[in-house]
Amino acid sequence: MTKLAFMSDLHIDSNQFGAFEIETLIQTLQDENIDHLHIAGDISNDFKNISQPFINQLCHHFPVSYNLGNHDMLGMSEEEIRQREIQIQQFGDRQLVSLSGWYDYSFVPEKSEEEHLKNKLLYWFDRRLERTESDPTITNHILSQLESVLQQTTSPILLSLHFVPHDDFILHHPYFERFNAFLGSRHFHTVFKKYPITDVIFGHTHHRFGSRMVEGIRYHARPLGYVREWELCKDFLKTFPSYRFKEDYHPYKRYRKIQHVPEFIEFKKKQLKKEFQDALTILDL
C-alpha cells in the first residue's frame, strides 16, 4: 500500500518558510508515514530559485511531484508552462494525472470577457504573467489536451490540478466574488465525468472545503494558503481574547495586529504541525 499525500498553496516565500517551517513540514509528513507528496501548485513566486531548491530538499526524505499553479508561472515562458502542463504517474493500479488548469470566466457568465479582462488587469496576480493567448483559449487548449490523455486511460484515475473545477467551490462573499471568474472553469468537471476519475484534488481558493462527493467524483480541497488565513490565527484570538479587536474577522487586519506579538509567535510554532495536517489530503492506494 502507498500513502499518497497532496498539498497546495504553500507560498513558501510569502509565508516566510525558514528552517523551522520546512523541518516541521517534513516531520509532519514522516509522522503520517507518507510515501509520496504531490504539490498541487503555488509553491512560490520563483520556481527556479525558491521552489526547486525546496522540492530538492524534500526529495531527500520522500519522492515529490507537482503541478504548476499561477504563482509558479511567474517568470516562465509559455513554452516552459506548457512543457509542465500534464504529467502521468502510476501508483499500483491507479494513475495520477496532474495539470495546472486555467480559467475561462465560466463561473461568472453574466459579465463580458472585456469586463473580466479589465478586472484581471486591475486586481489579479496573473496580470504579471506573460501568457500569449486569451484565458478562454488557454483553457480550451488544456481541456483538449487533457481529453486526449484521458481517452487513452482505462485505469482508475486520480487527478490533481491547481484551479477550481466545479461551481460548488466558488466563493459567495462580497469581497471574494469579484475573483470567481479567475478561479477556474466549470468545463473541467464536464470532462471529468466522462472518464474513470475517482478523486480530484485542487487548491487555488485558499479556502478549505475538505472532501465532497459531486456526481460520483470525490473532490478534495485543503489549500494551505497565506499565514494570515490560517486557522491558527483565529485560534490564537480564541485562546488569547485580550488581543481581540473590532475587525479581527478581517484576515489582513488580524494578522497585522498579532504577527509580532510574542505570544502569537510561540503559539504559531506550537500549532504549525496541526495547520499542516489540516492542509493535507491523504489517499491510501
Side-chain angles (χ1 to χ4, degrees):
M1 182 177 290
T2 299
K3 224 171 184 184
L4 179 57
F6 296 85
M7 298 187 79
S8 74
D9 301 271
L10 299 180
H11 294 285
I12 63 174
D13 47 351
S14 299
N15 287 333
Q16 299 181 323
F17 270 38
F20 177 79
E21 287 76 15
I22 295 173
E23 289 166 9
T24 301
L25 175 60
I26 291 168
Q27 189 61 56
T28 301
L29 294 164
Q30 289 178 330
D31 289 346
E32 296 285 350
N33 297 312
I34 298 305
D35 297 303
H36 186 107
L37 172 67
H38 184 86
I39 305 175
D42 279 5
I43 302 170
S44 81
N45 291 330
D46 186 337
F47 188 84
K48 180 180 178 181
N49 295 306
I50 297 177
S51 299
Q52 194 63 68
F54 170 73
I55 292 169
N56 293 342
Q57 186 174 355
L58 296 186
C59 281
H60 288 300
H61 303 275
F62 33 74
V64 179
S65 54
Y66 65 90
N67 55 260
L68 296 179
N70 52 323
H71 283 256
D72 302 303
M73 296 175 185
L74 186 63
M76 287 188 181
S77 67
E78 189 70 26
E79 181 180 357
E80 289 174 316
I81 292 169
R82 291 190 175 185
Q83 285 174 350
R84 294 173 169 88
E85 185 55 59
I86 297 183
Q87 310 291 329
I88 303 173
Q89 300 177 77
Q90 193 76 37
F91 292 92
D93 66 345
R94 303 280 194 99
Q95 285 192 327
L96 171 61
V97 177
S98 56
L99 66 152
S100 59
W102 200 246
Y103 45 87
D104 57 6
Y105 319 141
S106 56
F107 290 148
V108 190
E110 63 271 16
K111 290 186 178 181
S112 68
E113 186 171 334
E114 290 73 22
E115 288 178 286
H116 289 309
L117 187 57
K118 181 180 178 181
N119 285 334
K120 176 180 174 178
L121 295 176
L122 283 173
Y123 303 116
W124 199 240
F125 174 85
D126 298 350
R127 67 187 183 276
R128 301 170 61 188
L129 305 182
E130 297 180 8
R131 307 227 61 174
T132 57
E133 297 176 306
S134 71
D135 297 320
T137 300
I138 291 170
T139 304
N140 284 334
H141 174 81
I142 293 170
L143 286 164
S144 176
Q145 188 180 358
L146 177 61
E147 286 242 51
S148 296
V149 170
L150 296 177
Q151 285 168 0
Q152 302 174 42
T153 304
T154 56
S155 305
I157 299 168
L158 311 172
L159 192 142
S160 170
L161 76 166
H162 183 65
F163 290 87
V164 178
H166 193 281
D167 301 61
D168 274 11
F169 306 101
I170 63 173
L171 306 173
H172 301 286
H173 183 283
Y175 176 80
F176 294 108
E177 281 179 347
R178 57 181 167 163
F179 304 130
N180 280 338
F182 316 119
L183 291 186
S185 169
R186 59 176 47 161
H187 297 112
F188 283 107
H189 178 74
T190 302
V191 169
F192 296 166
K193 290 190 298 180
K194 297 160 60 177
Y195 300 96
I197 296 173
T198 61
D199 295 82
V200 172
I201 301 93
F202 67 96
H204 191 47
T205 67
H206 291 198
H207 288 256
R208 297 178 198 167
F209 293 93
S211 298
R212 183 182 302 178
M213 189 71 76
V214 181
E215 295 188 288
I217 299 173
R218 187 171 296 279
Y219 283 95
H220 308 269
R222 297 179 177 87
L224 182 64
Y226 297 127
V227 62
R228 62 178 176 265
E229 302 160 330
W230 292 359
E231 288 300 313
L232 64 79
C233 291
K234 302 174 191 175
D235 292 341
F236 173 76
L237 293 178
K238 293 175 185 175
T239 307
F240 295 89
S242 61
Y243 287 105
R244 301 203 67 166
F245 60 102
K246 185 177 180 181
E247 295 180 290
D248 64 16
Y249 59 86
H250 194 294
Y252 293 91
K253 293 180 180 179
R254 177 175 62 218
Y255 189 61
R256 281 200 298 268
K257 284 274 190 178
I258 66 175
Q259 63 179 316
H260 300 302
V261 171
E263 290 90 340
F264 175 72
I265 293 170
E266 187 62 27
F267 186 85
K268 179 185 170 189
K269 287 182 178 180
K270 291 179 179 178
Q271 295 297 314
L272 185 60
K273 180 178 180 179
K274 182 179 183 300
E275 197 73 37
F276 287 153
Q277 288 173 323
D278 290 345
L280 274 173
T281 294
I282 302 173
L283 300 180
D284 292 313
L285 307 179

